[in-house]
Structure formats: C-alpha cells, structure tokens
Amino acid sequence: MRRERVAGAMSDTRTSAEAVPDFELPNAGAGPDRFSLSAAAADPDTDAIVLLFQRDYHCGNCRKQVRAIADRYDEFEALNATVVSVLPEPVGRARSWQDSYDLPFPLLADPETDVSDAYDQPVRFGVLGSLHDLVGRMPVAMILDARGGEPVVAYAYEGRMPADRPEIDDLLAEVRGLGDD
C-alpha cells in the first residue's frame, strides 16, 4: 500500500493485483435480488467492478457520492464498468436509499459488515468506532479488474476522513487505465 496526497487529505491507495474474496449480498438497487461478485465478474461485458464501501445509512457524504455516481453512471457503463455500493446496514435501510435516489446500479446490504470487513474497510476509534459505523467506519473505493474472469484489485482508495473520497473523474481515469495494461 502506498500513501499519496489526494484532494488535500492523506489517503491510502493500493494498486496491486490482489485477488479478492467472493461474496453474495442482498441487493436493494438495480440488478438481481442477490448480487454475486463472481457472477458479475463472469459477465463478458464487464471489464471492471467499482466497489464503494459506505460508512452508514445516515452519512451525508455517502449519499452525495452515490447520487453523483448515478448522475454519471452512463460514463461507467461506456467503459464496461459496473458500480456497486455496499452499505453496512440491513436491507430495509438500503431499500430506503434506493427509494430516495433510484440508483441505476446495485446497492448491497451488508448488515453484519462481513463483506466490508473481508475487504478491510477501516474502522477508527477502536471499540467506540466498532459500535457505530457512522463514528468509526471510513469510506473505501475499490476498482476490480474483471477481465481475467477472477476479479483482482486494480486500485483502492481508503478515506482517512469521512469526506475523503476519490473524485469521480479519478475513478473513471483508473477504469480507463485498465485498458492500457
């Protein structure tokens, strides 16, 4: 993992070809009722999967991020990229977001945070942070290269602060960069 300054804040980014754990979660957004990473990666029309690990149902920055991505989702689709947002909440709360924002991509419920934890989503403030996601859980954006059939990490951005997230243009540039390999 390397550290770089992005948007005025120190953030952790990874750009190694790490294999990732497969998962299946309930989906309140567009797509099948249960989202499977391996099924999405096996789709021949999918070159990249952009995973957005959110902090909490109440997180205003998380809500802004999914709405901004939704506004530009056609740009991701043009690059054969699927965006998937993972919310550490029960499916009912994820459905509430979907009802409010009509997202054109999967919105997954991870109520036990099993997937978020398997992907090493950072939690700050020790025990206090682990008791309440809004206090402790930090945002993560990850781009998986799915061109080989088994998804691998091509890029990861770990926010150090609640508002610390990559710009949409940066995510799109990283997805475009997969074609340069």
Side-chain angles (χ1 to χ4, degrees):
M1 189 163 323
R2 66 184 160 84
R3 296 167 82 65
E4 72 182 29
R5 185 166 291 280
V6 179
M10 289 300 286
S11 301
D12 293 328
T13 58
R14 278 187 286 204
T15 55
S16 62
E18 299 174 39
V20 296
D22 191 19
F23 65 85
E24 185 175 301
L25 286 172
N27 178 18
D33 289 340
R34 291 197 62 80
F35 177 90
S36 163
L37 179 63
S38 57
D43 182 340
D45 294 327
T46 300
D47 292 337
I49 299 169
V50 179
L51 294 176
L52 303 173
F53 290 96
Q54 306 299 346
R55 297 182 58 233
D56 182 86
Y57 170 83
H58 300 287
C59 173
N61 291 313
C62 300
R63 290 170 180 254
K64 283 183 210 171
Q65 183 183 46
V66 296
R67 289 191 316 252
I69 295 273
D71 289 346
R72 296 183 61 187
Y73 194 62
D74 59 327
E75 294 176 63
F76 287 93
E77 286 183 312
L79 296 170
N80 295 327
T82 299
V83 175
V84 179
S85 184
V86 181
L87 187 63
E89 297 283 354
V91 72
R93 287 226 168 146
R95 278 194 190 106
S96 177
W97 267 26
Q98 183 62 19
D99 291 346
S100 296
Y101 306 128
D102 193 28
L103 302 172
F105 49 83
L107 175 62
L108 310 183
D110 185 16
E112 304 300 322
T113 68
D114 294 334
V115 173
S116 301
D117 293 342
Y119 279 75
D120 296 325
Q121 184 178 14
V123 177
R124 63 183 182 163
F125 302 132
V127 174
L128 176 62
S130 67
L131 293 175
H132 198 289
D133 291 325
L134 185 60
V135 173
R137 201 162 285 280
M138 290 292 99
V140 171
M142 189 174 287
I143 297 173
L144 307 180
D145 184 344
R147 295 174 298 167
E150 184 174 328
V152 294
V153 176
Y155 169 86
Y157 185 105
E158 295 179 357
R160 304 283 306 252
M161 303 286 291
D164 183 16
R165 297 153 194 271
E167 297 293 327
I168 296 171
D169 287 334
D170 294 336
L171 292 173
L172 288 163
E174 291 291 336
V175 172
R176 277 187 207 96
L178 292 177
D180 296 341
D181 294 347

